[in-house]
Amino acid sequence: MNKPKAVISLFDLTGEAVKPWAEAGYDCFLFDIQHTEDVVLHGRCTVVGGDASTWAEDIAEIFAAYDVAMVFGFPPCTSLAISGARHFAAKAAANPSYREEAMALVYMARDIGEAYGVPYAIENPVSVISSAWKKPTHIFQPCDFGGYLPEDDTSPYPDIIPARDAYTKKTCLWTGNCFKMPEARPVDPVKYQDRNGLNYSALHWKLGGKSLRTKNIRSATPRGFARAVFAANT
């Protein structure tokens, strides 16, 4: 008997990365530490909350019951992104193991993918992952895949993120087990200019601040890229 198809996505609050898979009939399992209890998103997406250290049994049960096609990982970048390097010394003073703990979350998707022999992709901005582990397999901008969205596209955050993902945000991927990087379909990014004539990405121009909502919007998977990955890997 053939198993139903599924996708696993770690540290995925919004489910944007797996939405195309869910729409195609895959059962999607999202594991995210911001949820304190299990919830359902996008119809076929089950979110497992709680501490990451408790997820192994759930993941093993998914692999036993499903034909898992892909594992995604979006580990928290707070202790990894180069943009926050000025805080690294203070974090190390408060917790000498902070870097190892952050990298352990990075390795989760890799270890699951390798253990079960399925393709995997781990996403983060420019970060110390490159020195702590290895250089990224791929680097892209969201606007590189905006052409996968329709011309009349509407952004879920229209006051912040332009339609068709027409913005720049240098994003790195660490992939394995025959993950296929999709072909680019770029659109021109929207730029904003300050009084000194310097250009800024729409995301950075409109989305400063340290609130959790701000961080979640910044880290949401570009919708065009999500569609592109699905098309390339199915």
Side-chain angles (χ1 to χ4, degrees):
M1 181 177 179
N2 293 331
K3 295 180 180 179
K5 294 182 178 181
V7 172
I8 292 174
S9 192
L10 306 177
F11 310 105
D12 187 349
L13 178 70
T14 66
E16 287 293 345
V18 303
K19 189 180 291 186
W21 302 79
E23 292 172 347
Y26 288 71
D27 287 300
C28 301
F29 296 91
L30 314 180
F31 290 77
D32 190 78
I33 55 181
Q34 291 189 55
H35 286 287
T36 56
E37 58 185 17
D38 296 358
V39 297
V40 176
L41 298 174
H42 312 317
R44 301 189 74 95
C45 297
T46 300
V47 179
V48 180
D51 189 279
S53 65
T54 67
W55 294 344
E57 184 176 345
D58 290 317
I59 290 169
E61 290 178 356
I62 293 168
F63 273 97
Y66 291 87
D67 177 12
V68 178
M70 182 71 68
V71 175
F72 294 108
F74 304 94
C77 66
T78 306
S79 296
L80 300 170
I82 295 300
S83 59
R86 65 186 181 278
H87 302 298
F88 289 169
K91 290 184 177 184
N95 176 14
S97 299
Y98 89 98
R99 178 68 53 76
E100 289 77 12
E101 292 171 4
M103 287 301 300
L105 303 183
V106 172
Y107 294 139
M108 282 186 70
R110 179 203 65 181
D111 292 348
I112 293 168
E114 295 292 348
Y116 291 97
V118 300
Y120 61 89
I122 301 165
E123 183 272 337
N124 232 240
V126 178
S127 68
V128 298
I129 297 175
S130 296
S131 56
W133 177 21
K134 64 178 182 178
K135 294 185 182 301
T137 319
H138 307 282
I139 298 175
F140 71 94
Q141 303 281 0
C143 60
D144 293 342
F145 298 94
Y148 284 86
L149 298 170
E151 292 188 4
D152 62 350
D153 173 60
T154 300
S155 169
Y157 309 103
D159 58 326
I160 297 170
I161 295 179
R164 305 189 83 194
D165 292 338
Y167 67 98
T168 57
K169 178 179 181 285
K170 193 173 183 180
T171 305
C172 301
L173 286 180
W174 291 261
T175 67
N177 281 350
C178 299
F179 171 89
K180 296 178 182 177
M181 187 67 176
E183 180 182 349
R185 294 182 187 174
V187 298
D188 292 332
V190 174
K191 293 288 186 179
Y192 292 88
Q193 194 172 81
D194 68 10
R195 65 182 65 184
N196 298 315
L198 297 176
N199 290 321
Y200 290 86
S201 163
L203 190 73
H204 295 98
W205 184 260
K206 294 189 174 184
L207 202 56
K210 300 179 181 179
S211 72
L212 184 59
R213 176 180 181 271
T214 291
K215 291 179 180 178
N216 286 336
I217 294 174
R218 277 203 302 259
S219 63
T221 302
R223 295 170 299 120
F225 181 68
R227 291 192 184 192
V229 167
F230 171 76
N233 289 274
T234 54

